[in-house]
């Protein structure tokens, strides 16, 4: 027996994941967790593209998801390099501590 999930449920899940990512970026104080929250948001938008492409029977959503994955990989590599540099200079990844060291 084959079961399928409707596109509306998948888009709702994508919206929920995106909202969870926004909350993570706003609430978290650690840069690593903020980067993970941005990754959750990117994956949620990719999931929404795949659901929309599935709903209309077009491969466009999957193509956009591949572009999102490539962009996420570049974002992670640059983000982690910046995080390592910040930690090397300030010995902390807490946003509040970095704001105090600024001026």
């Amino acid at each position: 027996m084959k079961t399928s999930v409707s596109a509306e449920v998948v888009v709702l899940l994508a919206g929920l994941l995106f909202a969870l990512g926004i909350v993570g970026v706003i609430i978290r104080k650690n840069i690593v967790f903020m980067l993970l929250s941005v990754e959750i948001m990117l994956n949620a938008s990719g999931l929404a593209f795949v659901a929309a492409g599935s709903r209309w029977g077009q491969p466009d959503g999957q193509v956009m998801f591949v572009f999102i994955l490539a962009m996420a990989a570049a974002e992670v590599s640059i983000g982690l390099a910046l995080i390592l540099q910040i930690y090397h200079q300030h010995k902390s990844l807490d946003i509040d501590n970095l704001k105090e060291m600024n001026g």
Side-chain angles (χ1 to χ4, degrees):
M1 184 171 158
K2 185 177 179 182
T3 61
S4 65
V5 179
S6 68
E8 290 82 14
V9 173
V10 177
V11 170
L12 182 66
L13 176 65
L16 184 66
L17 284 172
F18 195 85
L20 182 68
I22 288 175
V23 168
V25 168
I26 292 171
I27 291 178
R28 294 291 187 165
K29 300 296 181 191
N30 191 322
I31 298 175
V32 174
F33 288 115
M34 293 174 77
L35 184 64
L36 286 173
S37 297
V38 170
E39 288 297 317
I40 290 173
M41 291 171 23
L42 285 171
N43 284 323
S45 62
L47 182 62
F49 275 117
V50 169
S54 172
R55 169 73 172 89
W56 288 294
Q58 298 290 324
D60 299 342
Q62 294 174 358
V63 171
M64 286 302 298
F65 186 66
V66 170
F67 287 136
I68 289 172
L69 284 179
M71 184 182 63
E75 179 254 336
V76 164
S77 63
I78 293 171
L80 286 177
L82 289 173
I83 287 172
L84 286 173
Q85 189 67 26
I86 289 170
Y87 184 76
H88 180 70
Q89 289 179 357
H90 301 287
K91 302 295 186 236
S92 175
L93 293 178
D94 189 13
I95 293 293
D96 292 333
N97 291 344
L98 294 176
K99 286 180 183 177
E100 291 172 4
M101 292 180 190
N102 191 13

mmCIF file with all atom_site columns, all heavy atoms in Angstrom, residues 4-5 9 15 24 28 36-38 44-45 66 69 72-73 77-78 86-87 92 100:
data_model
loop_
_atom_site.group_PDB
_atom_site.id
_atom_site.type_symbol
_atom_site.label_atom_id
_atom_site.label_alt_id
_atom_site.label_comp_id
_atom_site.label_asym_id
_atom_site.label_entity_id
_atom_site.label_seq_id
_atom_site.pdbx_PDB_ins_code
_atom_site.Cartn_x
_atom_site.Cartn_y
_atom_site.Cartn_z
_atom_site.occupancy
_atom_site.B_iso_or_equiv
_atom_site.pdbx_formal_charge
_atom_site.auth_seq_id
_atom_site.auth_comp_id
_atom_site.auth_asym_id
_atom_site.auth_atom_id
_atom_site.pdbx_PDB_model_num
ATOM 1   N N   . SER A 1 4   ? 1.055  8.680  0.365  1.00 0.00 ? 4   SER A N   1
ATOM 2   C CA  . SER A 1 4   ? 1.759  9.896  -0.020 1.00 0.00 ? 4   SER A CA  1
ATOM 3   C C   . SER A 1 4   ? 1.312  11.036 0.897  1.00 0.00 ? 4   SER A C   1
ATOM 4   O O   . SER A 1 4   ? 0.208  11.044 1.425  1.00 0.00 ? 4   SER A O   1
ATOM 5   C CB  . SER A 1 4   ? 1.483  10.252 -1.479 1.00 0.00 ? 4   SER A CB  1
ATOM 6   O OG  . SER A 1 4   ? 0.118  10.564 -1.646 1.00 0.00 ? 4   SER A OG  1
ATOM 7   N N   . VAL A 1 5   ? 2.200  11.972 1.055  1.00 0.00 ? 5   VAL A N   1
ATOM 8   C CA  . VAL A 1 5   ? 1.926  13.137 1.890  1.00 0.00 ? 5   VAL A CA  1
ATOM 9   C C   . VAL A 1 5   ? 1.557  14.287 0.960  1.00 0.00 ? 5   VAL A C   1
ATOM 10  O O   . VAL A 1 5   ? 2.211  14.504 -0.063 1.00 0.00 ? 5   VAL A O   1
ATOM 11  C CB  . VAL A 1 5   ? 3.171  13.486 2.737  1.00 0.00 ? 5   VAL A CB  1
ATOM 12  C CG1 . VAL A 1 5   ? 2.918  14.704 3.592  1.00 0.00 ? 5   VAL A CG1 1
ATOM 13  C CG2 . VAL A 1 5   ? 3.576  12.298 3.587  1.00 0.00 ? 5   VAL A CG2 1
ATOM 14  N N   . VAL A 1 9   ? 0.874  19.750 3.445  1.00 0.00 ? 9   VAL A N   1
ATOM 15  C CA  . VAL A 1 9   ? 1.480  19.338 4.716  1.00 0.00 ? 9   VAL A CA  1
ATOM 16  C C   . VAL A 1 9   ? 2.987  19.572 4.677  1.00 0.00 ? 9   VAL A C   1
ATOM 17  O O   . VAL A 1 9   ? 3.584  20.025 5.656  1.00 0.00 ? 9   VAL A O   1
ATOM 18  C CB  . VAL A 1 9   ? 1.150  17.855 5.011  1.00 0.00 ? 9   VAL A CB  1
ATOM 19  C CG1 . VAL A 1 9   ? 1.913  17.364 6.228  1.00 0.00 ? 9   VAL A CG1 1
ATOM 20  C CG2 . VAL A 1 9   ? -0.340 17.666 5.209  1.00 0.00 ? 9   VAL A CG2 1
ATOM 21  N N   . GLY A 1 15  ? 7.417  25.645 6.516  1.00 0.00 ? 15  GLY A N   1
ATOM 22  C CA  . GLY A 1 15  ? 7.191  26.906 7.220  1.00 0.00 ? 15  GLY A CA  1
ATOM 23  C C   . GLY A 1 15  ? 7.516  26.804 8.697  1.00 0.00 ? 15  GLY A C   1
ATOM 24  O O   . GLY A 1 15  ? 8.098  27.725 9.284  1.00 0.00 ? 15  GLY A O   1
ATOM 25  N N   . GLY A 1 24  ? 15.816 30.454 16.254 1.00 0.00 ? 24  GLY A N   1
ATOM 26  C CA  . GLY A 1 24  ? 17.176 30.092 16.646 1.00 0.00 ? 24  GLY A CA  1
ATOM 27  C C   . GLY A 1 24  ? 18.170 31.206 16.399 1.00 0.00 ? 24  GLY A C   1
ATOM 28  O O   . GLY A 1 24  ? 19.058 31.446 17.217 1.00 0.00 ? 24  GLY A O   1
ATOM 29  N N   . ARG A 1 28  ? 19.486 32.532 20.045 1.00 0.00 ? 28  ARG A N   1
ATOM 30  C CA  . ARG A 1 28  ? 20.805 31.990 20.382 1.00 0.00 ? 28  ARG A CA  1
ATOM 31  C C   . ARG A 1 28  ? 21.863 33.074 20.455 1.00 0.00 ? 28  ARG A C   1
ATOM 32  O O   . ARG A 1 28  ? 21.817 34.054 19.715 1.00 0.00 ? 28  ARG A O   1
ATOM 33  C CB  . ARG A 1 28  ? 21.239 30.944 19.352 1.00 0.00 ? 28  ARG A CB  1
ATOM 34  C CG  . ARG A 1 28  ? 20.402 29.703 19.351 1.00 0.00 ? 28  ARG A CG  1
ATOM 35  C CD  . ARG A 1 28  ? 20.627 28.933 20.603 1.00 0.00 ? 28  ARG A CD  1
ATOM 36  N NE  . ARG A 1 28  ? 19.932 27.653 20.525 1.00 0.00 ? 28  ARG A NE  1
ATOM 37  C CZ  . ARG A 1 28  ? 20.168 26.667 21.329 1.00 0.00 ? 28  ARG A CZ  1
ATOM 38  N NH1 . ARG A 1 28  ? 21.068 26.787 22.272 1.00 0.00 ? 28  ARG A NH1 1
ATOM 39  N NH2 . ARG A 1 28  ? 19.501 25.556 21.215 1.00 0.00 ? 28  ARG A NH2 1
ATOM 40  N N   . LEU A 1 36  ? 23.880 27.123 12.480 1.00 0.00 ? 36  LEU A N   1
ATOM 41  C CA  . LEU A 1 36  ? 23.016 25.953 12.329 1.00 0.00 ? 36  LEU A CA  1
ATOM 42  C C   . LEU A 1 36  ? 21.568 26.365 12.073 1.00 0.00 ? 36  LEU A C   1
ATOM 43  O O   . LEU A 1 36  ? 20.858 25.719 11.278 1.00 0.00 ? 36  LEU A O   1
ATOM 44  C CB  . LEU A 1 36  ? 23.095 25.072 13.576 1.00 0.00 ? 36  LEU A CB  1
ATOM 45  C CG  . LEU A 1 36  ? 24.362 24.258 13.746 1.00 0.00 ? 36  LEU A CG  1
ATOM 46  C CD1 . LEU A 1 36  ? 24.374 23.576 15.100 1.00 0.00 ? 36  LEU A CD1 1
ATOM 47  C CD2 . LEU A 1 36  ? 24.496 23.239 12.645 1.00 0.00 ? 36  LEU A CD2 1
ATOM 48  N N   . SER A 1 37  ? 21.124 27.425 12.705 1.00 0.00 ? 37  SER A N   1
ATOM 49  C CA  . SER A 1 37  ? 19.757 27.908 12.491 1.00 0.00 ? 37  SER A CA  1
ATOM 50  C C   . SER A 1 37  ? 19.571 28.425 11.062 1.00 0.00 ? 37  SER A C   1
ATOM 51  O O   . SER A 1 37  ? 18.515 28.214 10.455 1.00 0.00 ? 37  SER A O   1
ATOM 52  C CB  . SER A 1 37  ? 19.422 29.001 13.497 1.00 0.00 ? 37  SER A CB  1
ATOM 53  O OG  . SER A 1 37  ? 19.465 28.492 14.806 1.00 0.00 ? 37  SER A OG  1
ATOM 54  N N   . VAL A 1 38  ? 20.589 29.077 10.536 1.00 0.00 ? 38  VAL A N   1
ATOM 55  C CA  . VAL A 1 38  ? 20.518 29.525 9.140  1.00 0.00 ? 38  VAL A CA  1
ATOM 56  C C   . VAL A 1 38  ? 20.458 28.313 8.206  1.00 0.00 ? 38  VAL A C   1
ATOM 57  O O   . VAL A 1 38  ? 19.728 28.324 7.205  1.00 0.00 ? 38  VAL A O   1
ATOM 58  C CB  . VAL A 1 38  ? 21.719 30.438 8.807  1.00 0.00 ? 38  VAL A CB  1
ATOM 59  C CG1 . VAL A 1 38  ? 21.803 30.720 7.326  1.00 0.00 ? 38  VAL A CG1 1
ATOM 60  C CG2 . VAL A 1 38  ? 21.619 31.731 9.580  1.00 0.00 ? 38  VAL A CG2 1
ATOM 61  N N   . ALA A 1 44  ? 14.692 24.357 4.953  1.00 0.00 ? 44  ALA A N   1
ATOM 62  C CA  . ALA A 1 44  ? 13.242 24.531 4.929  1.00 0.00 ? 44  ALA A CA  1
ATOM 63  C C   . ALA A 1 44  ? 12.788 25.153 3.613  1.00 0.00 ? 44  ALA A C   1
ATOM 64  O O   . ALA A 1 44  ? 11.783 24.733 3.027  1.00 0.00 ? 44  ALA A O   1
ATOM 65  C CB  . ALA A 1 44  ? 12.794 25.391 6.102  1.00 0.00 ? 44  ALA A CB  1
ATOM 66  N N   . SER A 1 45  ? 13.537 26.129 3.122  1.00 0.00 ? 45  SER A N   1
ATOM 67  C CA  . SER A 1 45  ? 13.159 26.730 1.837  1.00 0.00 ? 45  SER A CA  1
ATOM 68  C C   . SER A 1 45  ? 13.341 25.716 0.706  1.00 0.00 ? 45  SER A C   1
ATOM 69  O O   . SER A 1 45  ? 12.531 25.673 -0.229 1.00 0.00 ? 45  SER A O   1
ATOM 70  C CB  . SER A 1 45  ? 13.974 27.986 1.572  1.00 0.00 ? 45  SER A CB  1
ATOM 71  O OG  . SER A 1 45  ? 15.345 27.675 1.477  1.00 0.00 ? 45  SER A OG  1
ATOM 72  N N   . VAL A 1 66  ? 18.898 21.784 -5.479 1.00 0.00 ? 66  VAL A N   1
ATOM 73  C CA  . VAL A 1 66  ? 20.323 21.543 -5.723 1.00 0.00 ? 66  VAL A CA  1
ATOM 74  C C   . VAL A 1 66  ? 21.092 22.856 -5.620 1.00 0.00 ? 66  VAL A C   1
ATOM 75  O O   . VAL A 1 66  ? 22.181 22.899 -5.028 1.00 0.00 ? 66  VAL A O   1
ATOM 76  C CB  . VAL A 1 66  ? 20.531 20.874 -7.103 1.00 0.00 ? 66  VAL A CB  1
ATOM 77  C CG1 . VAL A 1 66  ? 21.997 20.839 -7.484 1.00 0.00 ? 66  VAL A CG1 1
ATOM 78  C CG2 . VAL A 1 66  ? 19.959 19.465 -7.098 1.00 0.00 ? 66  VAL A CG2 1
ATOM 79  N N   . LEU A 1 69  ? 21.385 23.696 -1.958 1.00 0.00 ? 69  LEU A N   1
ATOM 80  C CA  . LEU A 1 69  ? 22.404 22.878 -1.302 1.00 0.00 ? 69  LEU A CA  1
ATOM 81  C C   . LEU A 1 69  ? 23.808 23.387 -1.625 1.00 0.00 ? 69  LEU A C   1
ATOM 82  O O   . LEU A 1 69  ? 24.675 23.421 -0.739 1.00 0.00 ? 69  LEU A O   1
ATOM 83  C CB  . LEU A 1 69  ? 22.270 21.419 -1.723 1.00 0.00 ? 69  LEU A CB  1
ATOM 84  C CG  . LEU A 1 69  ? 21.137 20.635 -1.085 1.00 0.00 ? 69  LEU A CG  1
ATOM 85  C CD1 . LEU A 1 69  ? 21.121 19.210 -1.622 1.00 0.00 ? 69  LEU A CD1 1
ATOM 86  C CD2 . LEU A 1 69  ? 21.254 20.622 0.414  1.00 0.00 ? 69  LEU A CD2 1
ATOM 87  N N   . ALA A 1 72  ? 24.304 26.509 0.368  1.00 0.00 ? 72  ALA A N   1
ATOM 88  C CA  . ALA A 1 72  ? 24.470 26.186 1.787  1.00 0.00 ? 72  ALA A CA  1
ATOM 89  C C   . ALA A 1 72  ? 25.868 25.648 2.061  1.00 0.00 ? 72  ALA A C   1
ATOM 90  O O   . ALA A 1 72  ? 26.466 25.962 3.100  1.00 0.00 ? 72  ALA A O   1
ATOM 91  C CB  . ALA A 1 72  ? 23.416 25.180 2.222  1.00 0.00 ? 72  ALA A CB  1
ATOM 92  N N   . ALA A 1 73  ? 26.405 24.855 1.142  1.00 0.00 ? 73  ALA A N   1
ATOM 93  C CA  . ALA A 1 73  ? 27.764 24.339 1.325  1.00 0.00 ? 73  ALA A CA  1
ATOM 94  C C   . ALA A 1 73  ? 28.783 25.474 1.311  1.00 0.00 ? 73  ALA A C   1
ATOM 95  O O   . ALA A 1 73  ? 29.708 25.497 2.134  1.00 0.00 ? 73  ALA A O   1
ATOM 96  C CB  . ALA A 1 73  ? 28.079 23.319 0.230  1.00 0.00 ? 73  ALA A CB  1
ATOM 97  N N   . SER A 1 77  ? 31.130 26.669 4.578  1.00 0.00 ? 77  SER A N   1
ATOM 98  C CA  . SER A 1 77  ? 32.595 26.720 4.533  1.00 0.00 ? 77  SER A CA  1
ATOM 99  C C   . SER A 1 77  ? 33.106 28.116 4.890  1.00 0.00 ? 77  SER A C   1
ATOM 100 O O   . SER A 1 77  ? 34.045 28.255 5.673  1.00 0.00 ? 77  SER A O   1
ATOM 101 C CB  . SER A 1 77  ? 33.103 26.288 3.157  1.00 0.00 ? 77  SER A CB  1
ATOM 102 O OG  . SER A 1 77  ? 32.656 27.182 2.166  1.00 0.00 ? 77  SER A OG  1
ATOM 103 N N   . ILE A 1 78  ? 32.482 29.140 4.362  1.00 0.00 ? 78  ILE A N   1
ATOM 104 C CA  . ILE A 1 78  ? 32.897 30.512 4.691  1.00 0.00 ? 78  ILE A CA  1
ATOM 105 C C   . ILE A 1 78  ? 32.543 30.849 6.134  1.00 0.00 ? 78  ILE A C   1
ATOM 106 O O   . ILE A 1 78  ? 33.344 31.451 6.860  1.00 0.00 ? 78  ILE A O   1
ATOM 107 C CB  . ILE A 1 78  ? 32.255 31.514 3.716  1.00 0.00 ? 78  ILE A CB  1
ATOM 108 C CG1 . ILE A 1 78  ? 32.837 31.304 2.323  1.00 0.00 ? 78  ILE A CG1 1
ATOM 109 C CG2 . ILE A 1 78  ? 32.477 32.947 4.184  1.00 0.00 ? 78  ILE A CG2 1
ATOM 110 C CD1 . ILE A 1 78  ? 32.139 32.077 1.246  1.00 0.00 ? 78  ILE A CD1 1
ATOM 111 N N   . ILE A 1 86  ? 37.259 34.267 14.340 1.00 0.00 ? 86  ILE A N   1
ATOM 112 C CA  . ILE A 1 86  ? 36.725 35.024 15.478 1.00 0.00 ? 86  ILE A CA  1
ATOM 113 C C   . ILE A 1 86  ? 37.153 34.377 16.788 1.00 0.00 ? 86  ILE A C   1
ATOM 114 O O   . ILE A 1 86  ? 37.563 35.051 17.726 1.00 0.00 ? 86  ILE A O   1
ATOM 115 C CB  . ILE A 1 86  ? 35.183 35.131 15.382 1.00 0.00 ? 86  ILE A CB  1
ATOM 116 C CG1 . ILE A 1 86  ? 34.790 36.076 14.255 1.00 0.00 ? 86  ILE A CG1 1
ATOM 117 C CG2 . ILE A 1 86  ? 34.582 35.593 16.700 1.00 0.00 ? 86  ILE A CG2 1
ATOM 118 C CD1 . ILE A 1 86  ? 33.317 36.058 13.929 1.00 0.00 ? 86  ILE A CD1 1
ATOM 119 N N   . TYR A 1 87  ? 37.081 33.050 16.859 1.00 0.00 ? 87  TYR A N   1
ATOM 120 C CA  . TYR A 1 87  ? 37.484 32.371 18.084 1.00 0.00 ? 87  TYR A CA  1
ATOM 121 C C   . TYR A 1 87  ? 38.982 32.530 18.342 1.00 0.00 ? 87  TYR A C   1
ATOM 122 O O   . TYR A 1 87  ? 39.411 32.690 19.486 1.00 0.00 ? 87  TYR A O   1
ATOM 123 C CB  . TYR A 1 87  ? 37.113 30.888 18.031 1.00 0.00 ? 87  TYR A CB  1
ATOM 124 C CG  . TYR A 1 87  ? 37.421 30.176 19.319 1.00 0.00 ? 87  TYR A CG  1
ATOM 125 C CD1 . TYR A 1 87  ? 36.601 30.352 20.430 1.00 0.00 ? 87  TYR A CD1 1
ATOM 126 C CD2 . TYR A 1 87  ? 38.536 29.363 19.439 1.00 0.00 ? 87  TYR A CD2 1
ATOM 127 C CE1 . TYR A 1 87  ? 36.884 29.726 21.626 1.00 0.00 ? 87  TYR A CE1 1
ATOM 128 C CE2 . TYR A 1 87  ? 38.824 28.735 20.631 1.00 0.00 ? 87  TYR A CE2 1
ATOM 129 C CZ  . TYR A 1 87  ? 37.995 28.917 21.724 1.00 0.00 ? 87  TYR A CZ  1
ATOM 130 O OH  . TYR A 1 87  ? 38.288 28.300 22.904 1.00 0.00 ? 87  TYR A OH  1
ATOM 131 N N   . SER A 1 92  ? 36.212 33.562 22.241 1.00 0.00 ? 92  SER A N   1
ATOM 132 C CA  . SER A 1 92  ? 34.813 33.424 22.616 1.00 0.00 ? 92  SER A CA  1
ATOM 133 C C   . SER A 1 92  ? 33.965 33.418 21.354 1.00 0.00 ? 92  SER A C   1
ATOM 134 O O   . SER A 1 92  ? 34.317 34.057 20.356 1.00 0.00 ? 92  SER A O   1
ATOM 135 C CB  . SER A 1 92  ? 34.379 34.579 23.515 1.00 0.00 ? 92  SER A CB  1
ATOM 136 O OG  . SER A 1 92  ? 32.999 34.488 23.781 1.00 0.00 ? 92  SER A OG  1
ATOM 137 N N   . GLU A 1 100 ? 30.808 43.597 23.253 1.00 0.00 ? 100 GLU A N   1
ATOM 138 C CA  . GLU A 1 100 ? 31.503 44.378 24.268 1.00 0.00 ? 100 GLU A CA  1
ATOM 139 C C   . GLU A 1 100 ? 32.943 44.660 23.864 1.00 0.00 ? 100 GLU A C   1
ATOM 140 O O   . GLU A 1 100 ? 33.510 45.696 24.197 1.00 0.00 ? 100 GLU A O   1
ATOM 141 C CB  . GLU A 1 100 ? 31.479 43.626 25.611 1.00 0.00 ? 100 GLU A CB  1
ATOM 142 C CG  . GLU A 1 100 ? 30.112 43.558 26.239 1.00 0.00 ? 100 GLU A CG  1
ATOM 143 C CD  . GLU A 1 100 ? 30.086 42.650 27.459 1.00 0.00 ? 100 GLU A CD  1
ATOM 144 O OE1 . GLU A 1 100 ? 31.154 42.136 27.856 1.00 0.00 ? 100 GLU A OE1 1
ATOM 145 O OE2 . GLU A 1 100 ? 28.998 42.465 28.021 1.00 0.00 ? 100 GLU A OE2 1
#
